[in-house]
């Protein structure tokens, strides 16, 4: 567990502060939207108004619908109940009927009946002024048939575009909808299309029945004669060509040809294998017999044995050659043995080659005999095949004629015996009526959607503009992105240089820095040597109890006006006047001198003041440092970042202001009587709630800090301070104030380590406050 949590349980709350930045980011967006609400509303109103004006210029379109029930289960009076319906009952039947309704066959009679070619919406419309003027001068031009046909076709296409045919769910109900600028015309067209569809269905059935009966009667006589002639020709042709079939139905010549062909394929395969083997052996003999390069084609048990002996003799020769001279008897003997084995291998290969040559000759003779037999049989088969082709043609023609005759005869008997009574399988179940409101445009929906789009567009403009303004104007300084120690080579234990000289030495140091407005003064009272607190954190200075003088000149404890008391103490020291606050001003001057001894980042020093808890004089020290730096001629900004007491914001009347301001820069207040600027970072926030800057506020604060020589931050207590706090990241130096009377209750090593961890090598130090003998009565301000 962290020692800070053991020493101070309040430190446990620091881990809960990381979620504030996200909430504040969202809160900042809502603040931007609240400030820009009138702009966003104006943009939304413009969008809605323009859309409303545009919708008034659009020609309204009305849609009327009629419904037709197509029942595929309807059977004709003389249909066989055991046979399936002629039309079928699947969804593809309904899809087909929908395509029929949308076809030219159904729509063209509707366009012709309602004279849509002359309609302004579907066809050519009324002639224009120029056409009427030409007609008055040159007379009316009579249109030819092609022009009238083209106009009618264009009207049919326009009607098809304005017609929609849909199936109602999974039922057999078809919805026919027609669109038109006139509600009455839309209803008329929808009903006309439905009636045209029903008329087309009945007309097609009647035409199909009449044509089928007439054609069947004409074809029966011809089919009967053709079938008789085809069967006679088959019998004559089979007897003339002696075409006998086997038990399987095929010709005998074909079976014999198949057997010879199979045997010839086997013989050719064997010949190819023997020839390939013989050619390989000849290649080996021509290239010289080498036991190591003989392929698998000449492998035999004898060759394998000789190759093994040859390999053994070759290894023996190689070993002897490595150890003995070529003329040594052992080497000569090994070489002779190797040559003998090579000759034996060559002789064996020649023997195999002769055997293979005989196999090739035998296979060649076999293939030759089979080819002769196959050629003879093929000649016989060609004659039979030619005759078979003609026979199959005759049989196919006879079979087709027989099927056609049987179908026609059956249909003729059915038509002759059954009356042509046809029941309709489609009917209108819901005729169209004129609609009351148009389907396009939906003016209310368009206006509402345009208003919503305007709100989104206005929100994007407001938030985007704010983001662009922040990106351009408020950039974090370099030390926020890459915080480095303010002093080169400062380690984790580095602190501000202790000021332990006398008053004159402090003023000489102040003059040597070359600050504007600094004075060189001679002090009568020597300074005390500031004691060291702990090895890790150096004591910068000590501030005594702050008192005030009454009208009688007596010293008494500070009562209420802390700002005046601190201001009097600072002025006493810098004007070299004797008084109870002179030693307090001396300690403040020592702290400022130490702060200025460290190099600044980008010309600005940002000092962060903290303390173990409330009541350690942190706020008074921050105010005193700001007033003292102003006395030395520095441009100073004092920032209140302590959310619990908010003493600075309260005493400087910031909490009572009704308008705090939007951005941080707008909230900066200049106090001419104090010669400092003040910025409250906690006004307007809930009390007793730790405030962490979001990234946008950190950019703003860094931009503001560049305008000042010194920035003093009255920060949160050390237990509530976390390492990634934006204010701590911006700071260049750190000071912790500890009341002398409460040092015994604080673990100074842990306090030093916590502050140095937050500082990350930047200059830091300790200021002991409320030193010396306390005033007799109770104090109000620490």
């Amino acid at each position: 567990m962290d020692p800070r949590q053991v020493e101070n349980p309040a430190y446990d709350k620091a881990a809960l502060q990381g979620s504030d930045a996200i909430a504040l980011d969202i809160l900042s967006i809502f603040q931007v939207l609240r400030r820009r609400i009138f702009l966003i509303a104006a943009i939304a109103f413009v969008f809605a108004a323009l859309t409303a004006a545009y919708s008034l210029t659009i020609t309204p379109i009305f849609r009327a619908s009629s419904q037709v029930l197509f029942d595929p289960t309807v059977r004709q009076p003389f249909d066989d109940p055991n046979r399936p319906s002629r039309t079928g009952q699947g969804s593809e039947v309904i899809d087909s009927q929908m395509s029929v309704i949308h076809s030219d066959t159904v729509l063209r009679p509707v366009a012709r009946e309602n004279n849509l070619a002359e309609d302004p919406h579907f066809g050519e419309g009324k002639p224009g002024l120029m056409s009427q003027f030409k007609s008055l001068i040159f007379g009316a031009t009579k249109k030819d048939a092609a022009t009238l046909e083209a106009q009618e076709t264009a009207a049919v296409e326009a009607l098809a575009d304005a017609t929609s045919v849909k199936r109602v769910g999974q039922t057999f109900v078809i919805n026919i909808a027609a669109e038109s600028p006139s509600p009455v015309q839309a209803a008329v067209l929808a009903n006309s299309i439905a009636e045209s569809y029903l008329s087309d269905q009945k007309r097609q059935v009647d035409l199909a029945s009449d044509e089928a009966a007439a054609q069947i009667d004409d074809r029966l006589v011809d089919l009967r004669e053709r079938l008789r002639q085809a069967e006679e020709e088959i019998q004559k042709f089979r007897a003339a060509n002696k075409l006998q079939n086997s038990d399987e139905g095929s010709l005998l010549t074909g079976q014999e040809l198949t057997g010879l062909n199979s045997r010839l394929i086997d013989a050719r395969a064997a010949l190819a294998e023997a020839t390939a083997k013989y050619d390989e052996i000849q290649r080996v003999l021509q290239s010289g017999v080498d036991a190591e390069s003989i392929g698998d084609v000449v492998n035999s048990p004898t060759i394998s044995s000789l190759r093994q002996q040859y390999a053994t003799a070759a290894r023996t020769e190689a070993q002897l050659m490595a150890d003995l001279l070529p003329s040594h008897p052992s080497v000569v003997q090994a070489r002779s043995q190797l040559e003998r084995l090579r000759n034996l291998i060559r002789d064996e290969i020649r023997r195999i080659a002769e055997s293979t040559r005989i196999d090739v000759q035998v296979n060649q003779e076999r293939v030759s005999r089979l080819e002769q037999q196959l050629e003879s049989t093929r000649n016989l088969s060609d004659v039979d095949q030619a005759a078979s082709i003609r026979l199959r043609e005759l049989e196919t023609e006879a079979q087709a004629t027989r099927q056609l005759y049987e179908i026609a005869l059956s249909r003729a008997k059915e038509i002759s015996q059954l009356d042509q009574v046809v029941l309709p399988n489609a009917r209108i179940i819901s005729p169209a009526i004129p609609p009351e409101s148009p389907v396009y445009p939906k003016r209310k929906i368009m206006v509402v959607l345009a208003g919503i789009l305007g709100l989104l567009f206005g929100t994007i403009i407001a938030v985007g503009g704010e983001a662009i303004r922040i990106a351009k104007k408020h950039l974090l300084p370099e030390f926020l992105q890459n915080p480095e120690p303010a002093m080169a080579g400062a380690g984790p234990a580095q602190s501000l240089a202790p000021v332990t000289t006398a008053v004159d030495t402090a003023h000489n140091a102040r003059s040597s820095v070359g600050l504007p407005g600094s004075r060189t003064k001679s002090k009568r009272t020597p300074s005390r040597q500031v004691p060291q607190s702990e090895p890790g954190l150096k004591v910068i200075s000590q501030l005594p109890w702050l008192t005030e003088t009454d009208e009688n000149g007596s010293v008494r404890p500070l009562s209420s006006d802390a700002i005046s008391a601190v201001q009097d103490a600072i002025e006493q020291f810098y004007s070299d006047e004797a008084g109870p606050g002179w030693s307090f001003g001396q300690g403040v001057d020592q702290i400022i001198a130490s702060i200025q001894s460290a190099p600044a980042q980008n010309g600005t020093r940002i000092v962060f003041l903290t303390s173990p808890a409330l009541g350690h004089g942190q706020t008074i020290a921050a105010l005193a440092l700001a007033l003292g730096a102003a006395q030395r001629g520095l441009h100073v900004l004092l920032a209140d970042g302590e959310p619990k007491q908010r003493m600075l914001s309260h005493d400087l009347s910031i909490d009572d202001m009704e308008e705090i301001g939007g951005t941080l820069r707008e909230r900066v207040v200049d106090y001419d009587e104090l010669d400092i600027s003040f910025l409250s970072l906690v006004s307007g926030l809930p009390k007793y709630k730790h405030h962490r800057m979001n990234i946008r506020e950190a950019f703003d604060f860094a931009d503001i800090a560049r305008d000042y020589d010194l920035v003093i931050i009255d920060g949160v207590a050390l237990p509530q301070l976390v390492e990634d706090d934006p204010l701590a990241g911006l700071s260049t130096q750190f000071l912790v104030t500890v009341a002398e009377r409460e040092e015994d209750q604080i673990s100074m090593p842990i306090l030093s380590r916590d502050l140095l961890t937050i500082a990350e090598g930047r200059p830091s130090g300790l200021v002991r406050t409320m030193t010396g003998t306390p005033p007799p009565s109770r104090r109000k301000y620490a």
Side-chain angles (χ1 to χ4, degrees):
M1 182 179 294
D2 197 328
R4 288 176 288 185
Q5 299 176 356
V6 177
E7 296 294 335
N8 191 353
Y11 186 79
D12 295 340
K13 299 179 181 179
L16 302 177
Q17 309 302 327
S19 62
D20 292 346
I22 298 177
L24 289 174
D25 284 343
I26 298 175
L27 180 60
S28 300
I29 293 175
F30 279 108
Q31 290 176 352
V32 172
L33 296 180
R34 185 178 62 182
R35 293 197 306 269
R36 305 294 184 182
I37 186 64
F38 293 106
L39 174 63
I40 297 174
I43 294 176
F45 177 77
V46 170
F47 271 63
L50 292 177
T51 303
Y54 172 72
S55 64
L56 295 176
T57 63
I58 301 176
T59 301
I61 299 298
F62 294 86
R63 178 184 298 165
S65 300
S66 63
Q67 292 184 340
V68 174
L69 173 62
F70 179 82
D71 190 0
T73 60
V74 173
R75 291 183 176 273
Q76 301 304 322
F78 300 100
D79 282 350
D80 186 358
N82 297 323
R83 295 177 58 185
S85 176
R86 299 178 183 179
T87 58
Q89 299 183 9
S91 60
E92 64 277 0
V93 177
I94 301 298
D95 295 338
S96 300
Q97 299 304 315
M98 291 166 56
S99 299
V100 170
I101 296 174
H102 215 273
S103 64
D104 182 89
T105 306
V106 175
L107 297 181
R108 187 172 291 275
V110 176
R112 190 174 300 160
E113 178 183 356
N114 293 274
N115 196 21
L116 295 184
E118 304 295 335
D119 187 89
H121 181 71
F122 294 96
E124 187 180 50
K126 297 181 180 179
L129 294 177
M130 293 299 298
S131 299
Q132 294 178 4
F133 182 73
K134 291 181 179 179
S135 299
L136 291 175
I137 297 177
F138 302 103
T141 303
K142 186 178 181 180
K143 300 178 181 179
D144 55 6
T147 303
L148 294 175
E149 181 69 21
Q151 291 182 359
E152 185 178 281
T153 302
V156 171
E157 293 177 356
L159 178 61
D161 295 336
T163 303
S164 60
V165 182
K166 295 182 180 180
R167 183 180 183 182
V168 180
Q170 298 298 320
T171 65
F172 293 104
V173 177
I174 301 175
N175 189 77
I176 303 174
E179 295 179 354
S180 173
S182 171
V184 176
Q185 186 184 40
V188 170
L189 291 178
N191 292 326
S192 298
I193 294 173
E195 293 172 357
S196 177
Y197 165 69
L198 298 180
S199 299
D200 180 73
Q201 290 288 89
K202 186 176 183 305
R203 182 171 58 255
Q204 294 299 326
V205 171
D206 295 340
L207 291 176
S209 299
D210 295 341
E211 291 180 1
Q215 292 181 9
I216 289 174
D217 291 338
D218 293 340
R219 296 292 294 173
L220 275 176
V221 178
D222 182 58
L223 288 174
R224 187 183 300 109
E225 183 63 22
R226 287 176 55 189
L227 179 60
R228 184 184 61 79
Q229 294 178 359
E231 290 179 349
E232 290 180 356
E233 290 181 359
I234 291 174
Q235 295 299 328
K236 293 179 181 180
F237 187 82
R238 187 183 294 274
N241 292 276
K242 300 179 180 180
L243 296 176
Q244 290 82 19
N245 293 338
S246 62
D247 296 336
E248 291 80 7
S250 59
L251 296 177
L252 297 178
T253 306
Q255 289 185 347
E256 182 180 359
L257 184 63
T258 301
L260 288 175
N261 188 50
S262 176
R263 291 167 57 191
L264 179 60
I265 291 173
D266 295 338
R268 287 176 176 174
L271 175 61
E273 182 180 358
T275 303
K277 184 176 180 181
Y278 179 75
D279 293 341
E280 180 65 19
I281 295 174
Q282 292 298 321
R283 183 189 63 78
V284 172
L285 292 175
Q286 293 176 2
S287 60
V289 178
D290 187 357
E292 297 179 355
S293 63
I294 298 175
D296 294 338
V297 71
V298 293
N299 276 348
S300 68
T302 303
I303 291 296
S304 299
S305 177
L306 290 176
R307 289 179 65 182
Q308 292 178 359
Q309 296 178 18
Y310 182 86
T312 302
R315 285 195 300 270
T316 302
E317 181 190 14
Q319 293 175 358
L320 293 175
M321 288 290 293
D323 298 334
L324 303 175
L325 296 174
S327 59
H328 192 276
S330 298
V331 174
V332 173
Q333 183 179 1
R335 188 181 300 113
S336 176
Q337 179 68 16
L338 191 65
E339 182 64 25
R340 184 181 67 81
L341 290 173
R342 187 181 293 110
N343 293 333
L344 290 176
I345 292 173
R346 183 183 299 108
D347 295 341
E348 181 65 19
I349 291 175
R350 289 174 179 172
R351 185 188 64 78
I352 294 174
E354 182 62 23
S355 176
T356 304
R357 185 184 63 80
I358 295 174
D359 290 342
V360 170
Q361 292 178 353
V362 171
N363 286 322
Q364 287 178 347
E365 293 177 358
R366 181 183 176 190
V367 169
S368 178
R369 288 196 302 271
L370 288 174
E371 287 178 347
Q372 292 177 0
Q373 294 178 6
L374 184 63
E375 183 66 23
S376 176
T377 305
R378 184 180 291 113
N379 294 332
L380 295 176
S381 178
D382 290 341
V383 177
D384 292 344
Q385 288 295 332
S388 297
I389 292 172
R390 177 57 181 164
L391 177 62
R392 284 194 296 270
E393 291 178 355
L394 295 175
E395 290 177 346
T396 301
E397 183 178 355
Q399 181 66 22
T401 305
R402 184 181 296 105
Q403 292 178 354
L404 290 175
Y405 178 74
E406 292 175 354
I407 293 173
L409 183 61
S410 175
R411 183 59 177 165
K413 290 182 179 180
E414 180 181 357
I415 293 175
S416 62
Q417 295 177 5
L418 302 179
D419 295 332
Q420 295 300 307
V421 178
V422 179
L423 296 179
N425 54 4
R427 58 190 176 89
I428 298 176
I429 60 174
S430 178
I433 59 176
E436 297 180 356
S437 60
V439 295
Y440 176 82
K442 298 290 186 180
R443 293 188 174 91
K444 293 182 180 179
I445 297 178
M446 292 176 63
V447 172
V448 171
L449 292 178
I452 295 175
L453 181 61
L455 290 176
L456 295 177
F457 188 72
T459 302
I460 293 173
I461 291 179
V463 177
E466 184 71 11
I468 293 174
R469 187 188 67 80
I470 292 173
K472 289 183 177 180
K473 186 175 180 181
H474 304 290
L475 298 176
L476 279 176
E478 182 180 355
F479 57 80
L480 177 61
Q481 300 178 359
N482 186 18
E484 295 293 337
M487 290 185 177
Q494 183 181 0
S495 63
L496 292 172
V499 180
T500 59
T501 62
V503 177
D504 292 338
T505 306
H507 280 285
N508 292 335
R510 184 173 71 235
S511 301
S512 63
V513 176
L515 296 174
S518 61
R519 310 176 185 88
T520 304
K521 300 186 179 181
S522 175
K523 301 297 179 182
R524 294 184 299 273
T525 305
S527 64
R528 298 181 298 171
Q529 181 73 24
V530 179
Q532 299 290 332
S533 174
E534 290 296 330
L537 194 62
K538 303 294 183 180
V539 178
I540 303 304
S541 180
Q542 56 185 5
L543 301 177
W545 286 92
L546 189 62
T547 60
E548 61 183 0
T549 305
D550 59 8
E551 63 252 1
N552 297 326
S554 302
V555 177
R556 64 181 182 182
L558 183 62
S559 59
S560 60
D561 194 357
I563 296 179
S564 298
V566 173
Q567 189 175 14
D568 292 341
I570 296 300
E571 289 179 352
Q572 286 178 16
F573 175 76
Y574 284 97
S575 60
D576 198 18
E577 297 177 0
W582 190 90
S583 59
F584 183 90
Q586 179 191 10
V588 171
D589 186 74
Q590 290 176 353
I591 299 173
I592 298 174
S594 298
I595 292 174
Q596 289 185 310
S597 65
Q601 290 284 349
N602 298 329
T604 302
R605 293 178 173 88
I606 303 178
V607 182
F608 189 97
L609 269 72
T610 183
S611 60
L614 296 177
H616 285 263
Q618 170 187 332
T619 301
I620 293 296
L623 176 61
L625 289 178
L627 296 179
Q631 288 288 335
R632 299 183 66 151
L634 299 180
H635 192 197
V636 182
L637 173 66
L638 177 60
D640 186 6
E642 205 288 308
K644 290 189 176 181
Q645 287 189 342
R646 309 183 184 184
M647 290 178 56
L648 292 176
S649 299
H650 179 269
D651 287 351
L652 295 176
S653 301
I654 297 299
D655 280 343
D656 298 334
M657 297 175 61
E658 296 181 358
E659 292 295 332
I660 299 176
T663 63
L664 291 182
R665 183 171 292 277
E666 295 172 353
R667 293 161 59 178
V668 175
V669 180
D670 296 328
Y671 288 93
D672 297 334
E673 65 274 18
L674 301 178
D675 200 19
I676 63 172
S677 297
F678 180 75
L679 172 61
S680 177
L681 301 175
V682 293
S683 293
L685 297 176
K687 288 188 176 181
Y688 305 106
K689 183 179 184 300
H690 175 53
H691 169 66
R692 285 191 64 195
M693 279 187 171
N694 55 40
I695 189 63
R696 193 192 69 178
E697 292 174 340
F699 273 110
D700 290 344
F701 189 84
D703 183 67
I704 295 171
R706 282 197 290 267
D707 299 335
Y708 296 89
D709 301 324
L710 179 63
V711 178
I712 305 296
I713 301 175
D714 184 17
V716 297
L718 188 58
Q720 281 77 43
L721 186 62
V722 293
E723 295 180 10
D724 60 344
D725 191 287
L727 281 177
L730 287 169
S731 302
T732 61
Q733 302 174 40
F734 293 84
L735 290 176
V736 57
T737 60
V738 178
E740 185 181 54
R741 60 186 175 80
E742 297 196 26
E743 285 189 28
D744 295 337
Q745 302 178 9
I746 298 174
S747 177
M748 296 303 293
I750 293 179
L751 182 140
S752 301
R753 186 201 60 193
D754 293 347
L755 181 62
L756 294 175
T757 300
I758 298 296
E760 295 182 339
R762 286 167 284 184
S764 56
L766 183 143
V767 176
R768 182 180 285 109
T769 60
M770 291 176 278
T771 60
T773 303
S777 59
R778 187 176 180 182
R779 72 198 188 286
K780 181 177 181 181
Y781 289 95

